[in-house]
Each structure stands twice: as C-alpha cells, then as structure tokens.
Amino acid sequence: MWARPPHKKALDHMWYTGELATSHRENFTKFYDLAERVFPPLLSPLTEAAQLDWLCVEALKRMPFATAREIQQFWGVVSGAEVKTWAQNNDVRQVEIQGRDGSWTTALAPRDIDTQLNALPPTTSRLRILSPFDPAIRDRTRLERLFGFEYRIEIFVPKAKRIWGYYVYPILEGDRFIGRIELKADRKPGALHVLNLWHEEDVQWSAVRAKKLTAELARLAKLAQCSAVVWK
C-alpha cells in the first residue's frame, strides 16, 4: 500500500482518472478493479460544471465553513480558480471566523449558516479520542488556526525525530482539544495499551477528566475488539 514502484504509480493514475476503483483491502494490500464493476451505473454522465458543484458543495457541508483554498484542498482535484468561480455563481456568503488566537479569517459558508448553527444541539462535555484521520482535524493548518492545537501524525517520522510517538490520538472535550494519547492495540491477548498521555499546558487534569477518559478508553477498546485497557 505504501510502496510506489512504476506499476503502482500507473494504478494510482488510473484510480485518479476513474478508470479503476479500490474494490477492497486486505491488511495493507489494496486491490483494484474496473470502476464499472465497483460503482453502480450513473443514470446520466455528469457535466464538468455538475462535478465541480458537487465537489465544492460536499466539501463545504463537511467543514461547514472554509476559505476557498480549504475547499480546493479538501478533495484535491479542483483548482483555486475553479472554486472562486463556483463561489461567485452559487448560494454562498462570506463570513468572518475568529481563530483561537483572536485573529479573523474571511471564509465561505452556506447562505443559511445562521439557521444551521441555531439548530445545533448543545455541545457535549463528553471526552472523545479522535482518529488522526478524522475530517475535523485532517487539515492541520486549519486545526491550529481554529483551535490552537498543533498536531501531526508521526508514523512516517523517524523514531529519533518524533516529538510525541508513533500513533498518537488527539483528545477532544466538548469543543476544545485538551491533550493527546498514544495507544497500541494488541489483539491476541485482547489488550489496549496506553503508552503515553499528555495534556495541553493550559489544561488542568482533574479527577473528572480522568473518569471521562476511562469511559472513552472502554468504548475505544470495544471498537478495537479488546477486552482490557492496560496502562504502561
């Protein structure tokens, strides 16, 4: 999956152009097949304008406010100029977003963003361990600007150069990132190992937070098919 010999580059190119699709994976081995044998047939071919509209609308739904550059980078298949043209001809509005450091950024949002915000349920106080690939944190620059949380996954960083660890998860409490935790699942004995835990400098690690973390680790252990949580 990680190797990039010439035949893999060719397969990836055919995947990007839509000739091939990923049919399934076995561990880290990716299997390709003809796209028409993986995806259901379209009722009618989409025009380039319709494709661009879908990509921009769906990116904005998932964020749900973003700069033109963030929309462009979400899928990585449209240009910045195309996004700007799309924004001029669609039902979006400009908004000002304040980051954790107090700075303001001009962004795009759906016309009914106020209605969407008012319809949101109250922010939960639950503590959550997020995947490093969660859509909320996939854009590390955006994450740091909005939440003041600097994060990177270090699985591709040589061990001697890692700041945190091989596989470290962000910890979200309500609408605030309060720390990070290094975990490793050992499925043979059914144990989820907690290797390290760090909290942000301005976070006081209380008994209440410790209890919430214990509950979240139990949920994650169940997801990872582990029957026990073991602290190293």
Side-chain angles (χ1 to χ4, degrees):
M1 184 170 176
W2 309 118
R4 296 277 291 173
H7 68 274
K8 180 63 165 62
K9 292 180 180 179
L11 288 169
D12 283 348
H13 174 75
M14 295 174 73
W15 180 83
Y16 275 111
T17 59
E19 296 177 69
L20 296 181
T22 303
S23 60
H24 67 286
R25 288 186 175 90
E26 294 179 8
N27 296 321
F28 286 102
T29 301
K30 184 187 293 185
F31 290 79
Y32 296 90
D33 202 343
L34 294 175
E36 58 265 28
R37 297 205 301 219
V38 177
F39 302 123
L42 293 172
L43 295 178
S44 60
L46 294 177
T47 65
E48 288 192 10
Q51 293 178 48
L52 174 63
D53 184 62
W54 187 94
L55 290 166
C56 293
V57 168
E58 292 301 317
L60 204 54
K61 280 183 183 178
R62 288 160 171 77
M63 286 193 266
F65 57 82
T67 64
R69 181 173 178 81
E70 289 167 347
I71 295 174
Q72 182 264 324
Q73 291 179 327
F74 192 87
W75 303 111
V77 292
V78 298
S79 69
E82 287 176 319
V83 174
K84 290 179 180 178
T85 300
W86 170 84
Q88 292 170 356
N89 298 314
N90 283 270
D91 196 26
V92 294
R93 56 183 274 201
Q94 283 194 347
V95 293
E96 295 293 322
I97 304 298
Q98 188 174 29
R100 180 66 184 274
D101 63 357
S103 62
W104 292 86
T105 302
T106 301
L108 298 171
R111 185 69 58 183
D112 65 344
I113 185 65
D114 293 323
T115 302
Q116 293 186 32
L117 290 174
N118 291 331
L120 290 175
T123 303
T124 177
S125 62
R126 174 185 158 186
L127 190 150
R128 304 171 189 264
I129 296 173
L130 297 187
S131 163
F133 306 104
D134 190 286
I137 62 173
R138 58 177 286 179
D139 186 331
R140 313 303 194 210
T141 302
R142 174 184 167 95
L143 173 68
E144 187 172 358
R145 186 181 79 248
L146 295 178
F147 296 96
F149 186 71
E150 184 180 354
Y151 175 78
R152 67 173 181 173
I153 187 168
E154 298 181 307
I155 57 177
F156 304 115
V157 178
K159 186 175 181 179
K161 295 184 178 180
R162 290 175 194 152
I163 299 174
W164 305 103
Y166 176 74
Y167 213 100
V168 176
Y169 299 77
I171 302 175
L172 178 68
E173 183 183 45
D175 58 2
R176 182 185 182 193
F177 287 90
I178 63 170
R180 59 200 82 207
I181 188 168
E182 185 179 11
L183 302 170
K184 182 178 181 180
D186 191 349
R187 290 185 175 83
K188 286 186 178 180
L192 178 66
H193 294 278
V194 181
L195 305 181
N196 286 293
L197 171 66
W198 304 267
H199 58 78
E200 294 293 273
E201 291 182 359
D202 59 346
V203 171
Q204 182 178 0
W205 196 257
S206 64
V208 173
R209 284 195 169 113
K211 184 177 181 180
K212 289 196 289 187
L213 177 60
T214 298
E216 180 69 0
L217 285 169
R219 285 189 287 265
L220 186 59
K222 184 177 180 180
L223 177 66
Q225 300 179 336
C226 294
S227 57
V229 176
V230 179
W231 289 77
K232 289 289 188 179

